[in-house]
């Protein structure tokens, strides 16, 4: 759901030396499909492209974003989450989203844990309790140019991830025309 076409995003990712990425559009895998088609036509790229999605869900009475990585985009249980809008009702419960991502063979990650009404100190343990696999520990909360993770929030999220045996991921939240800038 950024301004960059997926092909341009892939070209920038290769140019800056990324070894792998996932496009995590909100409630859609269309960007991934486009990037995958482009990626398959490239003869010399060793960059890994994983399927990805960002799904709005309810956890601890607040809306959070759950990232899905490496799942089968054609799995039938994903259909309610790939229609371009936030799920409602029972489908919006975090444990349902996590179970669906797992059923499709993927991993579930709590996105940008320091951006919600609830604290990361409350959300990360709850994410682990509900079966989430990881937390987006590296994220640019202060939107610096060029992108770099925010030190204080990164340290906090990484420490909580370690305490709860969760994977740590990195996200750019790039919605603009440069992979290294948020807007």
């Amino acid at each position: 759901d950024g301004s960059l076409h997926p092909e341009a995003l892939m070209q920038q990712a290769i140019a800056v030396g990324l070894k792998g990425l996932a496009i995590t559009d909100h409630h859609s895998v269309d960007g991934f499909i486009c990037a995958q088609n482009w990626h398959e036509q490239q003869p010399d790229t060793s960059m890994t492209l994983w399927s990805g999605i960002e799904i709005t869900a309810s956890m601890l009475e607040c809306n959070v974003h759950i990232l899905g990585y490496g799942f089968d985009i054609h799995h039938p249980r994903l259909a309610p989450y790939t229609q371009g809008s936030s799920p409602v009702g029972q489908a919006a419960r975090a444990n349902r989203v996590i179970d669906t991502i797992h059923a499709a063979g993927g991993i579930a990650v709590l996105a940008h844990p320091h951006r919600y009404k609830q604290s990361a100190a409350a959300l990360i343990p709850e994410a682990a309790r509900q079966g989430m696999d990881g937390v987006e520990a590296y994220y640019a909360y202060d939107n610096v140019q060029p992108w770099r993770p925010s030190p204080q929030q990164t340290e906090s999220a990484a420490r909580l991830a370690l305490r709860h045996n969760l994977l740590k991921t990195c996200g750019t939240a790039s919605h603009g025309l440069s992979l290294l800038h948020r807007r």
Side-chain angles (χ1 to χ4, degrees), residues 39-104:
H39 191 253
E40 289 172 353
Q41 303 301 314
Q42 305 310 304
D44 296 329
T45 181
S46 62
M47 186 177 70
T48 302
L49 175 64
W50 294 280
S51 58
I53 194 165
E54 187 166 359
I55 301 170
T56 303
S58 177
M59 185 169 63
L60 293 181
E61 298 182 17
C62 89
N63 283 337
V64 298
H65 295 156
I66 298 175
L67 300 165
Y69 295 115
F71 53 87
D72 173 5
I73 65 169
H74 302 294
H75 195 282
R77 283 188 54 189
L78 280 172
Y81 301 104
T82 59
Q83 303 303 310
S85 59
S86 298
V88 295
Q90 295 296 313
R93 291 178 39 202
N95 64 329
R96 288 276 180 98
V97 174
I98 295 163
D99 289 347
T100 298
I101 292 168
H102 288 162

Side-chain angles (χ1 to χ4, degrees), residues 133-157:
D133 305 291
V135 62
E136 188 178 47
Y138 304 94
Y139 184 85
Y141 290 95
D142 47 5
N143 294 324
V144 294
Q145 311 292 343
W147 184 96
R148 75 172 187 281
S150 302
Q152 182 179 0
Q153 293 92 338
T154 293
E155 182 182 330
S156 168

